[in-house]
């Protein structure tokens, strides 16, 4: 009787293992602070599903490498794909890989260029970038009373979020309330704190004078702050804004250096992306776009966001 029970238990365990489904996670760059937080959201959501295991592949910021990793996961017949694109322009080929293999695809954070024409069993989980740069720039405009000179730090030029956030800046500064603010410099620092530091140093060395720094993300805002402080520029003389509400950014705000940021909830994006992948994998339907709202963070409400920091 004991032998029969043991065999039955073994078979049950084997059956449970056989039923476990694999979700392939294609990360653009897991070393990025924001994306690392997003990955944690994916992992935490996956841990709540007993029949799911993750296969995480990191492209290290290389779009070509990411595409090859996705092809390999599809060839290995993962049950679903969660993709944080290195390059939004690669949305169409990734969609085709998933559709051809019959594998559900969930794009997270970086909206693919083909988002309006996704095949069945594919969706996007992201925030509406029109909100992010708009919230940031409106608050900077308010702090400047609609007048002054600004420099703009842009993310990677090929990244849709960078393009949209920069357009948001221009749209806000074109309004009657903010048209007294002019942008005197704008350049890409590729989302990087170090590159933004170097670029700000060049501007300061060149004698560029400004009252505001409008950055597409917090990392670049923090790099600019580091350079300005190193050069003895008083942070009470410059309004600095970023996007993401990372832990470092909130600490900088508490210290009195950063004036504006916008929460893009990375863990929630990751968690909702994983939840959508599980539903699609199980034959359920989901909306074609799942929106995670942005939230304005300023010194007036920063304390309530410290626990949410990434």
């Amino acid at each position: 009787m004991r032998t029969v029970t043991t065999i039955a238990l073994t078979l049950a365990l084997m059956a449970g293992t056989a039923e476990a489904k694999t979700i392939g996670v294609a990360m653009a760059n897991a070393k990025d602070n924001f994306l690392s937080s997003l990955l944690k959201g994916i992992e935490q959501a996956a841990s709540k599903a007993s029949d799911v295991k993750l296969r995480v592949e990191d492209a290290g910021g290389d779009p070509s490498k990411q595409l090859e990793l996705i092809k390999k996961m599809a060839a290995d017949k993962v049950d679903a794909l969660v993709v944080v694109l290195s390059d939004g322009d690669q949305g169409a080929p990734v969609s085709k890989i998933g559709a051809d293999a019959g594998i559900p695809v969930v794009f997270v954070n970086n909206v693919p260029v083909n988002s309006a024409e996704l095949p069945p069993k594919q969706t996007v989980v992201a925030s509406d970038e029109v909100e992010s740069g708009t919230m940031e720039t409106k608050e900077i405009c308010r702090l400047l009373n609609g007048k002054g000179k600004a420099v703009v730090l842009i993310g990677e030029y090929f990244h849709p979020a960078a393009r949209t956030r920069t357009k948001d800046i221009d749209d806000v500064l074109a309004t009657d309330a903010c048209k007294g603010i002019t942008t005197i410099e704008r350049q890409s620092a590729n989302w990087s704190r170090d590159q933004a530091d170097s670029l700000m140093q060049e501007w300061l060395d060149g004698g560029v004078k400004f009252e505001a720094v409008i950055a597409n993300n917090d990392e670049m805002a923090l790099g600019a702050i580091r350079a300005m402080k190193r050069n003895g520029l008083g942070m009470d003389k410059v309004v600095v804004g970023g996007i993401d509400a990372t832990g470092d950014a909130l600490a900088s705000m508490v210290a009195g250096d950063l004036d504006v940021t916008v929460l893009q909830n990375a863990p929630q994006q990751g968690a909702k992306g994983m939840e959508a992948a599980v539903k699609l994998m199980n034959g359920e339907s989901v909306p074609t776009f799942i929106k995670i709202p942005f939230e304005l963070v300023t010194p007036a409400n920063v304390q309530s966001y410290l626990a949410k920091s990434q």
Side-chain angles (χ1 to χ4, degrees):
M1 185 68 176
R2 182 177 299 169
T3 302
V4 173
T5 302
T6 302
I7 292 173
L9 179 59
T10 301
L11 290 173
L13 289 172
M14 290 175 63
T17 302
E19 291 173 1
K21 296 181 178 180
T22 300
I23 295 180
V25 180
M27 295 298 299
N29 185 358
K31 291 182 179 179
D32 176 270
N33 285 345
F34 178 82
L35 296 184
S36 174
S37 181
L38 188 152
L39 179 57
K40 289 178 182 176
I42 291 174
E43 292 171 338
Q44 289 173 359
S47 69
K48 298 176 183 177
S50 58
D51 60 343
V52 168
K53 62 180 180 178
L54 297 182
R55 172 177 166 181
V56 180
E57 301 286 359
D58 181 21
D62 184 337
S64 297
K65 179 180 178 181
Q66 185 176 47
L67 197 58
E68 291 306 312
L69 290 170
I70 291 169
K71 288 178 181 177
K72 180 66 167 61
M73 287 193 284
D76 291 343
K77 301 185 185 304
V78 296
D79 295 286
L81 284 165
V82 174
V83 180
V84 183
L85 287 169
S86 294
D87 182 350
D89 290 341
Q90 288 196 329
V94 172
S95 284
K96 187 175 187 306
I97 291 169
D100 289 350
I103 299 171
V105 179
V106 179
F107 294 98
V108 180
N109 179 254
N110 191 355
V111 179
V113 293
N114 62 319
S115 61
E117 49 193 26
L118 292 177
K121 296 184 179 181
Q122 297 192 14
T123 187
V124 178
V125 178
S127 301
D128 184 352
E129 292 297 348
V130 174
E131 294 178 355
S132 61
T134 300
M135 286 182 176
E136 174 193 19
T137 311
K138 280 186 174 180
E139 179 63 11
I140 288 173
C141 173
R142 186 187 71 80
L143 292 171
L144 291 178
N145 294 314
K147 297 178 181 179
K149 296 178 181 178
V151 295
V152 178
L153 291 164
I154 303 170
E156 296 167 341
Y157 283 127
F158 62 74
H159 199 298
R163 293 196 290 262
T164 303
R165 292 175 187 181
T166 304
K167 183 178 183 301
D168 295 342
I169 295 169
D170 293 338
D171 289 347
V172 171
L173 297 187
T175 63
D176 289 342
C178 306
K179 63 184 179 182
I181 300 172
T182 56
T183 57
I184 55 173
E185 293 283 356
R186 62 170 62 202
Q187 194 165 324
S188 172
N190 295 307
W191 308 120
S192 166
R193 189 180 305 198
D194 290 341
Q195 288 187 41
D197 182 323
S198 297
L199 182 56
M200 176 57 69
Q201 187 64 56
E202 289 179 16
W203 287 338
L204 294 174
D205 289 344
V208 177
K209 305 293 184 183
F210 51 88
E211 287 77 44
V213 177
I214 312 175
N216 281 173
N217 77 335
D218 287 338
E219 283 295 290
M220 293 188 296
L222 294 173
I225 288 170
R226 187 170 68 193
M228 288 187 287
K229 293 179 73 173
R230 185 174 62 245
N231 284 268
L233 187 61
M235 297 313 300
D236 58 337
K237 306 296 183 183
V238 183
V239 175
V240 184
I243 295 171
D244 286 337
T246 64
D248 286 352
L250 298 186
S252 178
M253 184 173 285
V254 171
D257 297 333
L258 184 70
D259 299 284
V260 183
T261 187
V262 181
L263 175 68
Q264 179 176 198
N265 198 321
Q268 190 175 22
Q269 285 185 358
K272 293 298 182 183
M274 178 54 54
E275 290 173 11
V278 171
K279 287 181 179 179
L280 289 172
M281 188 174 63
N282 291 332
E284 300 177 46
S285 61
V286 300
T288 54
F289 190 95
I290 299 171
K291 179 181 173 182
I292 310 298
F294 280 102
E295 300 172 43
L296 182 68
V297 184
T298 69
N301 66 0
V302 65
Q303 293 297 328
S304 65
Y305 282 92
L306 291 175
K308 302 179 184 179
S309 68
Q310 295 138 20

